[in-house]
Amino acid sequence: MDAIFPELSTYNRGMGGYSLKGVLNVGWVDIHAVYPQGTVPSPFLSKLSEIMQLPTGAPFDPFMETIRELPHCEACGDIRYLRGDEFVRSNSELWIPTAELIYASPLIMVHHITDHGYCPPAEYIEAVLALELDQRFDSYVVYKEKLFESGWYDLVPT
Ligand SMILES: [Zn+2]
């Protein structure tokens, strides 16, 4: 099972005591446990669906650290999302930027919202609704910058 992080806590997944400033966890829930549930606005669902269909090479790339596996739901198994170019979307994190910060989620969160009634924090819904999908955003580049800032590389012997 994926690690579970409290909503809106600072991102420190796999970072051994370090954390990424300005990056907040959203949607790292255990669907077999108690998690926030509720109805989300339909424009939010449409926007998420639009994001999930972005083709590779789109200027807006929130799919952080893509890996060669499918997003996996603990209840339903592997989930197949078709991208706009009709390829199946690989698993990754989903990094949603605002002017001030970034929300980091497991990609399976989208399925947890649509199929298991998970309701993310209100500020997250607002952030997604406010997103302009034609902006240039490379989540992996931002991640590497944040990782460098965090001091994590100090662990690495030179
Ligand atoms: Zn499921």
Side-chain angles (χ1 to χ4, degrees):
M1 177 185 301
D2 273 327
I4 304 300
F5 303 103
E7 295 285 60
L8 305 176
S9 58
T10 299
Y11 184 98
N12 64 358
R13 181 181 184 210
M15 290 191 62
Y18 291 81
S19 59
L20 299 187
K21 197 162 165 252
V23 183
L24 302 183
N25 290 306
V26 165
W28 299 87
V29 298
D30 175 358
I31 61 154
H32 294 309
V34 175
Y35 59 89
Q37 297 202 16
T39 308
V40 295
S42 59
F44 170 71
L45 292 175
S46 313
K47 196 70 170 279
L48 275 185
S49 155
E50 232 183 299
I51 293 169
M52 293 302 280
Q53 288 176 51
L54 287 170
T56 298
F60 185 75
D61 182 3
F63 303 101
M64 211 292 283
E65 221 167 30
T66 299
I67 53 171
R68 202 172 53 247
E69 65 177 32
L70 295 175
H72 182 83
C73 171
E74 290 291 327
C76 310
D78 287 345
I79 305 295
R80 298 166 67 87
Y81 285 104
L82 280 188
R83 306 187 312 222
D85 49 15
E86 310 228 316
F87 284 92
V88 173
R89 184 165 294 295
S90 299
N91 201 10
S92 69
E93 292 184 4
L94 181 62
W95 279 37
I96 297 295
T98 70
E100 293 81 30
L101 43 82
I102 290 170
Y103 298 102
S105 310
L107 197 57
I108 198 64
M109 174 191 71
V110 174
H111 167 80
H112 289 162
I113 292 169
T114 55
D115 290 62
H116 298 289
Y118 163 65
C119 183
E123 64 180 77
Y124 182 79
I125 293 174
E126 277 169 38
V128 169
L129 285 171
L131 269 184
E132 287 176 25
L133 299 184
D134 55 357
Q135 69 176 293
R136 192 158 282 284
F137 173 68
D138 184 332
S139 54
Y140 195 62
V141 168
V142 173
Y143 159 73
K144 282 185 285 188
E145 285 167 6
K146 297 266 180 194
L147 190 60
F148 186 77
E149 272 172 28
S150 76
W152 184 85
Y153 282 110
D154 300 348
L155 287 171
V156 181
T158 49

